[in-house]
Amino acid sequence: MGRGRDKQDNGADSAAGAGPVSRHSDASAAGAGAARHLGPIRRMPIWLKAVTAVLAVVLVGGLAFAGFWFFRLQNNISKAPLNAGGGSTEGQVDDAKGRMQILILGSDTRDGKNADYGTADQSTGYGNSDVMMLMDISEDNKRVSVISFPRDLLVDIPECTDEDTKQTYPARSGVMINEAMAEAGIGCAVDTVNKLTGMEVDHFMMADFNAVKELSNAVGGVDVCISDAVYDPDSRLRLPAGTSSVEGEQALAFLRTRHAFADGGDLGRIKAQQGFLSSLTRKIKDEGTLTDPVRMLKIADVVTQNLTVDQGLGSVPTLLTIGNRLKDIDVGKVAFVAVPTGPAAADPNRLEVAEPAASQLFAALRKDVDLTDPTAPTSPSASPSAEPSTAPTETAPAVAPYDKALQPVAVANGTGVPGRAQEIVQALVAGGFAQSTFFDAAVTGQTVVYYGADFADVAADTAALLGIPATQLVPSANVYGVQVALGSDFPSGVTYGAGTALPDDIVSQTAGDAVCQQANPELIVR
């Protein structure tokens, strides 16, 4: 019996009998028949195999293609430190939706492919910034301001440390802004712009001469307009009157020329650069380039090969994120602005910021004002000074614990507007501060209330009377009593933040404007 069970359990031959083993054998046979009957149904049809194979090839090919381009573009990018010792007091910006400032630089270094545009002594070091523009993207991705800084503008350059060599260069005054990066690198240019504007640049992008040529070729030329036919032997720009499409060497010559436009100075050059970028923006948007993957890859390859960025921008996904932010902005909300300037007192061949217009511009930028419509509401993340609160708190005492008429309050006029301090003094006297005095001071961007020891309560009441936020009260050991330091952000009225003053013509043009440049009479050819 034991052996019989062993045979049964191990699948004995069906000829052994008609018992359970036979029944088991019959079932097996039936199953085998069914398996033979269902076999053709379970096989994959030839057409499905073919489709699956094609899809697999496409998928693998697509992944390989995407991987190739990702690594190619990523390896194209060169990176450098964002700052040269200035540091940052702001948190990490949200590249997808946070308000963002990007400093755009054009280097005049003559190394590598740029050797044809200079001499051997110009092919070493960081070079000067041939172009300097600050691109300010609003938090809601609905507008962009592009502020140009003339290369001849005299500014104060802070102390900067070259992050590669660790060598520190001392601060300098009255230096052309295009020299800011020559010693300590691009980060020093960023720190200089931060110091000048009172803002904090989030990223930078620096391109060289070759980038302009290859980008203009990649988009099939850029339309530019000039009033008369010109030839500039220095830049080798030659254009007929009217509209022309420029690319390659002629596109570079159009952006580089110092003499072909207006009076042959730097401001005419800036207007031409703004006109070029406006035309380039319109062409890219009108032709749907930003939504065409093939064209975008071509442009991205060209740009990244000739681009240096800070570490925060040093990845393809980040660059694509920023590009995505820009693709839907109305060209009428892309405002081009030049920093207000005038001939420098120290050297009439150089420029200095014109006050109070320059400080008004920087104050408006800090408040995130729409330069195309200064009366429009600012974004929620704008400076708190845009919406001051003057309402008294419930816990404020009904009677001040001091005599207002005896308190020393001085008003320093740093607005650049003559007679401005007297207006504020009148308001303070009317509010009970009978001892208020005034004096003129250097123009500054932001209004601050300084106060000495034991005068914190007086300062708070003074600020509340004028609507100045409590965040702009600063203790100072150098002040006796209270000093209201008026900045260009408080140019009129007696309530701070009630409005934003800007020169009427602060916007040179928008990307929606097709502007024809005025030719320099000395270079007109017939």
Side-chain angles (χ1 to χ4, degrees):
M1 293 292 293
R3 292 180 61 86
R5 283 196 296 269
D6 289 342
K7 288 183 179 181
Q8 181 178 339
D9 292 342
N10 286 289
D13 190 285
S14 58
V21 174
S22 298
R23 288 194 296 269
H24 175 71
S25 298
D26 292 341
S28 298
R36 285 193 299 271
H37 178 71
L38 295 173
I41 296 178
R42 291 180 178 177
R43 291 197 193 100
M44 182 180 290
I46 297 299
W47 66 268
L48 185 56
K49 287 183 178 180
V51 170
T52 302
V54 170
L55 290 176
V57 170
V58 171
L59 177 61
V60 172
L63 290 174
F65 178 80
F68 166 79
W69 276 105
F70 178 86
F71 286 109
R72 178 185 175 101
L73 297 178
Q74 188 64 55
N75 290 332
N76 283 346
I77 300 173
S78 298
K79 290 175 280 188
L82 176 61
N83 301 102
S88 175
T89 61
E90 297 179 355
Q92 181 70 28
V93 67
D94 186 334
D95 294 321
K97 58 183 179 181
R99 187 185 176 202
M100 179 184 295
Q101 289 88 35
I102 303 175
L103 186 63
I104 299 173
L105 301 162
S107 171
D108 69 355
T109 183
R110 269 71 169 184
D111 62 348
K113 296 179 181 179
N114 303 304
D116 292 339
Y117 306 102
T119 57
D121 62 320
Q122 296 173 309
S123 63
T124 58
Y126 296 108
N128 296 326
S129 54
D130 207 44
V131 176
M132 181 180 284
M133 296 179 173
L134 181 62
M135 181 170 67
D136 184 14
I137 307 173
S138 68
E139 183 177 7
D140 58 10
N141 292 339
K142 291 184 178 179
R143 51 189 168 82
V144 173
S145 299
V146 182
I147 298 88
S148 295
F149 298 83
R151 67 196 304 272
D152 293 339
L153 178 62
L154 299 182
V155 298
D156 294 336
I157 297 177
E159 178 180 278
C160 292
T161 299
D162 186 330
E163 295 298 321
D164 290 334
T165 66
K166 303 305 179 184
Q167 182 175 352
T168 297
Y169 296 89
R172 295 179 288 166
S173 296
V175 181
M176 285 173 55
I177 196 169
N178 76 323
E179 298 180 22
M181 74 177 194
E183 291 181 338
I186 306 170
C188 194
V190 172
D191 291 346
T192 299
V193 171
N194 288 345
K195 179 179 177 64
L196 178 64
T197 63
M199 302 175 70
E200 286 197 8
V201 172
D202 300 301
H203 298 297
F204 70 75
M205 297 180 178
M206 188 184 76
D208 58 18
F209 293 150
N210 196 59
V212 175
K213 294 191 300 182
E214 295 194 11
L215 177 59
S216 61
N217 289 334
V219 299
V222 178
D223 287 344
V224 297
C225 180
I226 191 166
S227 61
D228 300 272
V230 297
Y231 173 62
D232 176 14
D234 291 339
S235 66
R236 291 174 281 188
L237 175 69
R238 185 186 295 275
L239 283 177
T243 300
S244 303
S245 179
V246 295
E247 57 185 294
E249 291 289 347
Q250 281 297 286
L252 177 60
F254 186 88
L255 293 174
R256 287 186 63 223
T257 180
R258 300 272 330 264
H259 311 295
F261 309 113
D263 61 356
D266 206 27
L267 298 181
R269 180 172 177 260
I270 282 178
K271 286 185 176 296
Q273 291 170 348
Q274 292 174 339
F276 181 95
L277 291 177
S278 295
S279 180
L280 176 62
T281 301
R282 292 194 301 276
K283 179 162 190 174
I284 288 176
K285 288 184 71 69
D286 291 346
E287 296 184 357
T289 300
L290 293 174
T291 57
D292 185 335
V294 176
R295 299 190 68 183
M296 277 300 295
L297 279 177
K298 182 179 180 181
I299 292 175
D301 192 32
V302 166
V303 170
T304 53
Q305 287 185 58
N306 301 278
L307 190 68
T308 300
V309 300
D310 62 280
Q311 290 92 334
L313 276 187
S315 71
V316 173
T318 301
L319 292 173
L320 291 176
T321 295
I322 294 174
N324 191 58
R325 294 184 63 171
L326 299 174
K327 67 182 179 66
D328 294 324
I329 294 178
D330 183 350
V331 292
K333 286 297 183 180
V334 180
F336 289 92
V337 178
V339 172
T341 59
D347 183 352
N349 294 316
R350 299 289 180 256
L351 299 170
E352 63 185 10
V353 293
E355 298 293 3
S359 290
Q360 290 171 350
L361 169 62
F362 299 148
L365 290 173
R366 290 193 296 270
K367 293 181 180 180
D368 196 20
V369 170
D370 182 351
L371 299 183
T372 64
D373 182 11
T375 61
T378 56
S379 67
S381 63
S383 167
S385 61
E387 296 183 6
S389 174
T390 59
T393 62
E394 295 181 2
T395 57
V399 179
Y402 59 84
D403 187 348
K404 286 186 177 183
L406 301 179
Q407 306 309 311
V409 179
V411 179
N413 184 12
T415 65
V417 179
R420 181 76 184 104
Q422 291 93 315
E423 297 179 57
I424 298 299
V425 165
Q426 291 175 7
L428 290 173
V429 170
F433 293 98
Q435 299 297 320
S436 298
T437 59
F438 65 89
F439 60 93
D440 288 330
V443 175
T444 185
Q446 186 177 44
T447 297
V448 178
V449 177
Y450 298 101
Y451 59 92
D454 301 325
F455 283 92
D457 51 353
V458 180
D461 289 344
T462 303
L465 179 63
L466 300 174
I468 300 171
T471 54
Q472 289 168 227
L473 272 65
V474 178
S476 174
N478 299 320
V479 171
Y480 174 72
V482 175
Q483 183 184 111
V484 181
L486 298 176
S488 57
D489 57 347
F490 197 179
S492 61
V494 294
T495 301
Y496 180 80
T500 301
L502 275 172
D504 293 335
D505 57 350
I506 192 65
V507 175
S508 302
Q509 68 176 93
T510 71
D513 301 326
V515 177
C516 206
Q517 308 302 320
Q518 183 64 44
N520 181 359
E522 295 184 6
L523 296 182
I524 292 177
V525 293
R526 304 298 178 187

